Amino acid sequence: MGMKSYDDGSLILTTHQIIWRDSSDFQICISVPLCLVVFCEKQSGGIGRSAKLSVHLQAAQANRTPGPVSRSRYDYVRFSFKNGGESEFHTKLQSAMQTKEWEKTSSQATSSPVSKSSAKTGPIRASGIVGIERKIEENRRVTDKNISVAFQDLTKLMEKAKEMVSLSSNIANKIKDKKGDITDDETVKFKSYLLSLGIPNPVTKETHGSGTHYHMQLAHEIASLLKQPLEENAGIMLLSDAYCRINRARGMELLSPEDLLNACRMLDNLKLHMKLREFETGVLVLQLDSHSDEKVISQTTELVDDSKSLSAQELANLVSVSVLLAKERLLLAERAGKLCRDDSDEGLRFYPNLFAQPMR
Amino acid sequence: MAASTTFNWPWQYDFPPFFTIQKNADTKAKQIEAWCTLVLEYHQHNKLLKLRVADALASPLFSNKAIERKLPKEGVMEVLESLCKKGNVQWDDKSKTSCVIYWKTIEQWADIIYSWASKTGSLNTVCTLHELTQGPHTTSEPFHGLDDWLLIKALSTLQSRGKAELIGEEGVKFFA
């Protein structure tokens, strides 16, 4: 079975196909439609061999006109340019591949890649792996578009939310300025709405009787719960300790740190015999009203005097408070000018302030 | 001239907090004040006029081995700056690596020398610089053994006050 050898001919490139025509017999010509070309590979010639162009193809369509072979194990066709012209052909072929004229004139065109308006996407006609790939690509494009549309809605939502936030803070500020126009009850209600939206109200900290009903009730609960522990603890307790105690007592329906903080801020205003206090270092404590700084300072100073010098740890052990609290006491006494500090490799210690006293 | 007696350290020198820069402003002020006095007395006792910061940090002045404490460099610089404001320290260079310690200011030297001159009836007479600092009549005077350059500075001050006149490079005449 002899195979016709396609030896001597010329290669013609059109916008839609590559045609090989036999030089001696113009009736003999075979062609490859450009839409099946995946890519073409150039192989430059050398001594003894001619330049070649390998054109890789997709699977042939079922309705193609019969060609030289009905089946081939190769997926490419190689043209051998014995008389040159290979570079130019390659360039022209690549630009024809880019232009894709066959797509524009075909009545069963696939959807164009860039179209903002709702383009008519007809059924995609392609078979084989590339056909599957194209279908996947099309799906992806559609999904992408849907997501963008959805996010547009989200952006609008965010804009509305921003407006709402600024509106409510405007109202909150107006409340702060003109308290007489709204009753206290309504103020509290409004604030609780804001709080439920997650907008912390800055007004709460400064104004009297502010804060939500919930926090007010909480404050009462905290006060009654912690009164005794505070008295046992020399009238002062770290807020974190308070948090632990309260939640342990509650067992269920635990308190969030935020709610505790907000409730404690109201203690002073509600005259519940204790208040929240913040030290310069940022440490937060609950403190009984009966607790006085002067007493603590003189007690601490005395203790330091007796021991010649003390570290925070040592003081903590002496008076059975936490190290953090002991440190605050020493700092308090230092600020009052009763103690001075010694900072060395051995750590931070406090001495009686002999600088302030007449010479020994 | 070496110190004849051992230096009397003040009580603060054995007080560990003395070597930590205090946070309380009032306490710190008193602390720096005590350091200033100590620095001047130390230099006076040892008849030292110059101080190099790098050397001073390791010297017994700022480092008490007995209690294992030393004043950190920031503290030393604060003390020296305080002394500078009072006129007792003059930096040699912009980078502040060394300075002159005027445990008596130039003004004070001028006063001391002049009062000696009037006390000993040397007014309207000429003295040599040498006899002022090395002469047998001044052995008990604080300016005995003073460096020449400092002496000249003091006398120049008197000169600008119109109380003395430098004669040549070796002499001075005091006026009433």
mmCIF file of all heavy atoms in Angstrom, chain B residues 4-5 9 12 14 21 33 35 39-40 43-44 60 75 80 82-83 94 100-101 119 121 136 152 157 163 168 171 173:
data_model
loop_
_atom_site.group_PDB
_atom_site.id
_atom_site.type_symbol
_atom_site.label_atom_id
_atom_site.label_comp_id
_atom_site.label_asym_id
_atom_site.label_seq_id
_atom_site.Cartn_x
_atom_site.Cartn_y
_atom_site.Cartn_z
ATOM 1 N N SER B 4 46.551 63.682 99.961
ATOM 2 C CA SER B 4 47.277 63.299 101.174
ATOM 3 C C SER B 4 46.444 62.379 102.050
ATOM 4 O O SER B 4 46.961 61.475 102.695
ATOM 5 C CB SER B 4 47.695 64.534 101.963
ATOM 6 O OG SER B 4 46.620 65.441 101.980
ATOM 7 N N THR B 5 45.176 62.613 102.078
ATOM 8 C CA THR B 5 44.320 61.775 102.920
ATOM 9 C C THR B 5 43.382 60.972 102.033
ATOM 10 O O THR B 5 43.146 61.308 100.888
ATOM 11 C CB THR B 5 43.463 62.644 103.860
ATOM 12 O OG1 THR B 5 42.704 63.554 103.052
ATOM 13 C CG2 THR B 5 44.346 63.418 104.809
ATOM 14 N N TRP B 9 33.965 59.405 101.368
ATOM 15 C CA TRP B 9 32.773 59.244 100.528
ATOM 16 C C TRP B 9 31.533 59.653 101.298
ATOM 17 O O TRP B 9 31.402 59.349 102.474
ATOM 18 C CB TRP B 9 32.634 57.792 100.069
ATOM 19 C CG TRP B 9 33.771 57.326 99.210
ATOM 20 C CD1 TRP B 9 34.841 56.582 99.578
ATOM 21 C CD2 TRP B 9 33.938 57.601 97.814
ATOM 22 N NE1 TRP B 9 35.678 56.367 98.513
ATOM 23 C CE2 TRP B 9 35.151 56.982 97.418
ATOM 24 C CE3 TRP B 9 33.205 58.312 96.856
ATOM 25 C CZ2 TRP B 9 35.627 57.034 96.102
ATOM 26 C CZ3 TRP B 9 33.681 58.363 95.550
ATOM 27 C CH2 TRP B 9 34.884 57.737 95.183
ATOM 28 N N GLN B 12 25.648 58.763 100.505
ATOM 29 C CA GLN B 12 24.923 58.304 99.310
ATOM 30 C C GLN B 12 25.720 57.256 98.549
ATOM 31 O O GLN B 12 25.153 56.392 97.886
ATOM 32 C CB GLN B 12 24.636 59.469 98.350
ATOM 33 C CG GLN B 12 23.580 60.431 98.855
ATOM 34 C CD GLN B 12 24.196 61.659 99.470
ATOM 35 O OE1 GLN B 12 25.306 61.605 100.013
ATOM 36 N NE2 GLN B 12 23.479 62.771 99.398
ATOM 37 N N ASP B 14 27.221 54.725 99.405
ATOM 38 C CA ASP B 14 26.971 53.334 99.784
ATOM 39 C C ASP B 14 25.493 52.963 99.702
ATOM 40 O O ASP B 14 25.100 51.886 100.129
ATOM 41 C CB ASP B 14 27.474 53.080 101.209
ATOM 42 C CG ASP B 14 28.981 53.192 101.288
ATOM 43 O OD1 ASP B 14 29.647 52.587 100.431
ATOM 44 O OD2 ASP B 14 29.480 53.913 102.172
ATOM 45 N N ILE B 21 19.087 56.054 88.151
ATOM 46 C CA ILE B 21 18.464 57.353 87.881
ATOM 47 C C ILE B 21 17.015 57.286 88.337
ATOM 48 O O ILE B 21 16.237 56.473 87.857
ATOM 49 C CB ILE B 21 18.516 57.675 86.377
ATOM 50 C CG1 ILE B 21 19.956 57.586 85.888
ATOM 51 C CG2 ILE B 21 17.965 59.062 86.098
ATOM 52 C CD1 ILE B 21 20.060 57.608 84.387
ATOM 53 N N GLU B 33 21.873 66.489 92.435
ATOM 54 C CA GLU B 33 22.567 67.491 93.240
ATOM 55 C C GLU B 33 23.679 66.839 94.043
ATOM 56 O O GLU B 33 24.823 67.332 94.088
ATOM 57 C CB GLU B 33 21.540 68.149 94.176
ATOM 58 C CG GLU B 33 22.047 69.355 94.916
ATOM 59 C CD GLU B 33 22.502 70.455 94.004
ATOM 60 O OE1 GLU B 33 21.840 70.672 92.970
ATOM 61 O OE2 GLU B 33 23.549 71.069 94.295
ATOM 62 N N TRP B 35 25.185 64.081 93.412
ATOM 63 C CA TRP B 35 26.247 63.632 92.510
ATOM 64 C C TRP B 35 27.158 64.799 92.122
ATOM 65 O O TRP B 35 28.377 64.654 92.050
ATOM 66 C CB TRP B 35 25.649 63.009 91.249
ATOM 67 C CG TRP B 35 25.424 61.527 91.357
ATOM 68 C CD1 TRP B 35 24.234 60.883 91.396
ATOM 69 C CD2 TRP B 35 26.437 60.505 91.438
ATOM 70 N NE1 TRP B 35 24.424 59.543 91.500
ATOM 71 C CE2 TRP B 35 25.777 59.282 91.525
ATOM 72 C CE3 TRP B 35 27.833 60.533 91.456
ATOM 73 C CZ2 TRP B 35 26.459 58.076 91.627
ATOM 74 C CZ3 TRP B 35 28.504 59.330 91.547
ATOM 75 C CH2 TRP B 35 27.820 58.100 91.639
ATOM 76 N N VAL B 39 31.154 64.814 92.634
ATOM 77 C CA VAL B 39 32.109 64.908 91.525
ATOM 78 C C VAL B 39 33.118 66.033 91.795
ATOM 79 O O VAL B 39 34.323 65.860 91.643
ATOM 80 C CB VAL B 39 31.369 65.161 90.187
ATOM 81 C CG1 VAL B 39 32.351 65.548 89.093
ATOM 82 C CG2 VAL B 39 30.585 63.930 89.777
ATOM 83 N N LEU B 40 32.609 67.168 92.231
ATOM 84 C CA LEU B 40 33.509 68.293 92.485
ATOM 85 C C LEU B 40 34.453 68.008 93.645
ATOM 86 O O LEU B 40 35.660 68.260 93.559
ATOM 87 C CB LEU B 40 32.695 69.559 92.769
ATOM 88 C CG LEU B 40 31.872 70.090 91.602
ATOM 89 C CD1 LEU B 40 31.113 71.350 92.014
ATOM 90 C CD2 LEU B 40 32.765 70.403 90.417
ATOM 91 N N HIS B 43 37.178 65.526 92.632
ATOM 92 C CA HIS B 43 38.234 66.084 91.788
ATOM 93 C C HIS B 43 39.113 67.060 92.556
ATOM 94 O O HIS B 43 40.321 67.141 92.337
ATOM 95 C CB HIS B 43 37.632 66.743 90.549
ATOM 96 C CG HIS B 43 37.236 65.750 89.509
ATOM 97 N ND1 HIS B 43 36.085 65.019 89.589
ATOM 98 C CD2 HIS B 43 37.875 65.337 88.385
ATOM 99 C CE1 HIS B 43 36.007 64.198 88.554
ATOM 100 N NE2 HIS B 43 37.092 64.375 87.803
ATOM 101 N N GLN B 44 38.485 67.765 93.469
ATOM 102 C CA GLN B 44 39.252 68.700 94.268
ATOM 103 C C GLN B 44 40.237 67.947 95.156
ATOM 104 O O GLN B 44 41.407 68.301 95.254
ATOM 105 C CB GLN B 44 38.325 69.558 95.134
ATOM 106 C CG GLN B 44 39.087 70.505 96.033
ATOM 107 C CD GLN B 44 38.183 71.547 96.659
ATOM 108 O OE1 GLN B 44 36.987 71.543 96.428
ATOM 109 N NE2 GLN B 44 38.758 72.437 97.435
ATOM 110 N N PRO B 60 36.441 54.596 90.460
ATOM 111 C CA PRO B 60 35.690 54.446 91.716
ATOM 112 C C PRO B 60 34.643 55.535 91.917
ATOM 113 O O PRO B 60 33.695 55.333 92.666
ATOM 114 C CB PRO B 60 36.760 54.541 92.815
ATOM 115 C CG PRO B 60 38.058 54.568 92.145
ATOM 116 C CD PRO B 60 37.890 54.619 90.682
ATOM 117 N N GLY B 75 23.288 58.499 83.245
ATOM 118 C CA GLY B 75 23.322 59.209 84.524
ATOM 119 C C GLY B 75 24.538 60.114 84.612
ATOM 120 O O GLY B 75 24.443 61.273 85.028
ATOM 121 N N LEU B 80 27.054 65.544 84.518
ATOM 122 C CA LEU B 80 28.012 66.470 83.921
ATOM 123 C C LEU B 80 27.301 67.649 83.259
ATOM 124 O O LEU B 80 27.789 68.788 83.321
ATOM 125 C CB LEU B 80 28.892 65.721 82.908
ATOM 126 C CG LEU B 80 29.843 64.681 83.533
ATOM 127 C CD1 LEU B 80 30.599 63.920 82.458
ATOM 128 C CD2 LEU B 80 30.824 65.341 84.486
ATOM 129 N N SER B 82 24.505 68.892 84.215
ATOM 130 C CA SER B 82 24.050 69.755 85.308
ATOM 131 C C SER B 82 25.195 70.630 85.800
ATOM 132 O O SER B 82 25.027 71.828 86.056
ATOM 133 C CB SER B 82 23.503 68.884 86.438
ATOM 134 O OG SER B 82 23.117 69.679 87.518
ATOM 135 N N LEU B 83 26.385 70.018 85.905
ATOM 136 C CA LEU B 83 27.560 70.779 86.339
ATOM 137 C C LEU B 83 27.943 71.829 85.299
ATOM 138 O O LEU B 83 28.397 72.925 85.638
ATOM 139 C CB LEU B 83 28.744 69.826 86.567
ATOM 140 C CG LEU B 83 28.692 69.056 87.888
ATOM 141 C CD1 LEU B 83 29.745 67.970 87.911
ATOM 142 C CD2 LEU B 83 28.916 70.008 89.063
ATOM 143 N N LYS B 94 32.747 68.801 70.929
ATOM 144 C CA LYS B 94 31.301 68.694 70.692
ATOM 145 C C LYS B 94 30.774 67.303 71.005
ATOM 146 O O LYS B 94 29.613 67.146 71.389
ATOM 147 C CB LYS B 94 30.983 68.999 69.218
ATOM 148 C CG LYS B 94 30.771 70.450 68.927
ATOM 149 C CD LYS B 94 29.710 70.652 67.827
ATOM 150 C CE LYS B 94 29.490 72.121 67.557
ATOM 151 N NZ LYS B 94 30.517 72.669 66.637
ATOM 152 N N VAL B 100 36.781 69.632 81.269
ATOM 153 C CA VAL B 100 37.544 70.174 82.398
ATOM 154 C C VAL B 100 36.588 70.300 83.573
ATOM 155 O O VAL B 100 35.464 70.764 83.413
ATOM 156 C CB VAL B 100 38.128 71.558 82.040
ATOM 157 C CG1 VAL B 100 38.783 72.178 83.258
ATOM 158 C CG2 VAL B 100 39.098 71.445 80.893
ATOM 159 N N ILE B 101 37.063 69.889 84.740
ATOM 160 C CA ILE B 101 36.237 70.025 85.952
ATOM 161 C C ILE B 101 36.734 71.217 86.742
ATOM 162 O O ILE B 101 37.855 71.215 87.255
ATOM 163 C CB ILE B 101 36.332 68.767 86.840
ATOM 164 C CG1 ILE B 101 35.988 67.513 86.041
ATOM 165 C CG2 ILE B 101 35.459 68.918 88.074
ATOM 166 C CD1 ILE B 101 34.522 67.212 85.942
ATOM 167 N N LYS B 119 44.805 90.299 101.721
ATOM 168 C CA LYS B 119 45.069 89.849 103.096
ATOM 169 C C LYS B 119 46.558 89.963 103.421
ATOM 170 O O LYS B 119 46.946 90.349 104.508
ATOM 171 C CB LYS B 119 44.626 88.381 103.221
ATOM 172 C CG LYS B 119 44.107 88.004 104.589
ATOM 173 C CD LYS B 119 43.512 86.603 104.634
ATOM 174 C CE LYS B 119 44.352 85.598 103.872
ATOM 175 N NZ LYS B 119 43.748 84.252 103.833
ATOM 176 N N GLY B 121 48.723 91.857 102.006
ATOM 177 C CA GLY B 121 49.296 93.159 101.687
ATOM 178 C C GLY B 121 50.049 93.160 100.375
ATOM 179 O O GLY B 121 51.014 93.912 100.184
ATOM 180 N N PRO B 136 56.733 79.627 98.884
ATOM 181 C CA PRO B 136 56.578 79.150 100.273
ATOM 182 C C PRO B 136 55.442 79.855 101.026
ATOM 183 O O PRO B 136 54.945 79.346 102.021
ATOM 184 C CB PRO B 136 57.930 79.457 100.919
ATOM 185 C CG PRO B 136 58.517 80.542 100.086
ATOM 186 C CD PRO B 136 58.001 80.352 98.694
ATOM 187 N N ILE B 152 46.223 81.624 85.011
ATOM 188 C CA ILE B 152 46.160 82.755 84.080
ATOM 189 C C ILE B 152 44.715 83.123 83.788
ATOM 190 O O ILE B 152 44.355 84.302 83.702
ATOM 191 C CB ILE B 152 46.922 82.412 82.778
ATOM 192 C CG1 ILE B 152 48.415 82.299 83.082
ATOM 193 C CG2 ILE B 152 46.666 83.453 81.710
ATOM 194 C CD1 ILE B 152 49.254 81.828 81.941
ATOM 195 N N THR B 157 40.493 87.121 84.561
ATOM 196 C CA THR B 157 39.183 87.563 85.059
ATOM 197 C C THR B 157 39.357 88.785 85.954
ATOM 198 O O THR B 157 38.608 89.754 85.854
ATOM 199 C CB THR B 157 38.497 86.440 85.846
ATOM 200 O OG1 THR B 157 38.458 85.272 85.035
ATOM 201 C CG2 THR B 157 37.091 86.822 86.258
ATOM 202 N N LYS B 163 41.016 94.563 88.596
ATOM 203 C CA LYS B 163 41.645 94.374 89.893
ATOM 204 C C LYS B 163 43.097 93.923 89.792
ATOM 205 O O LYS B 163 43.785 93.763 90.802
ATOM 206 C CB LYS B 163 40.861 93.298 90.690
ATOM 207 C CG LYS B 163 39.473 93.728 91.066
ATOM 208 C CD LYS B 163 39.516 94.831 92.092
ATOM 209 C CE LYS B 163 38.148 95.162 92.629
ATOM 210 N NZ LYS B 163 38.209 96.307 93.528
ATOM 211 N N GLY B 168 53.704 90.686 81.252
ATOM 212 C CA GLY B 168 54.475 89.715 80.494
ATOM 213 C C GLY B 168 53.834 88.361 80.592
ATOM 214 O O GLY B 168 52.603 88.223 80.641
ATOM 215 N N GLY B 171 54.327 87.546 85.279
ATOM 216 C CA GLY B 171 54.004 88.338 86.458
ATOM 217 C C GLY B 171 52.590 88.882 86.470
ATOM 218 O O GLY B 171 51.879 88.873 85.473
ATOM 219 N N LYS B 173 50.262 92.113 88.643
ATOM 220 C CA LYS B 173 50.190 93.151 89.655
ATOM 221 C C LYS B 173 48.767 93.305 90.117
ATOM 222 O O LYS B 173 47.854 93.389 89.296
ATOM 223 C CB LYS B 173 50.708 94.470 89.060
ATOM 224 C CG LYS B 173 50.756 95.590 90.054
ATOM 225 C CD LYS B 173 51.430 96.813 89.485
ATOM 226 C CE LYS B 173 51.444 97.918 90.551
ATOM 227 N NZ LYS B 173 51.956 99.189 90.039
#
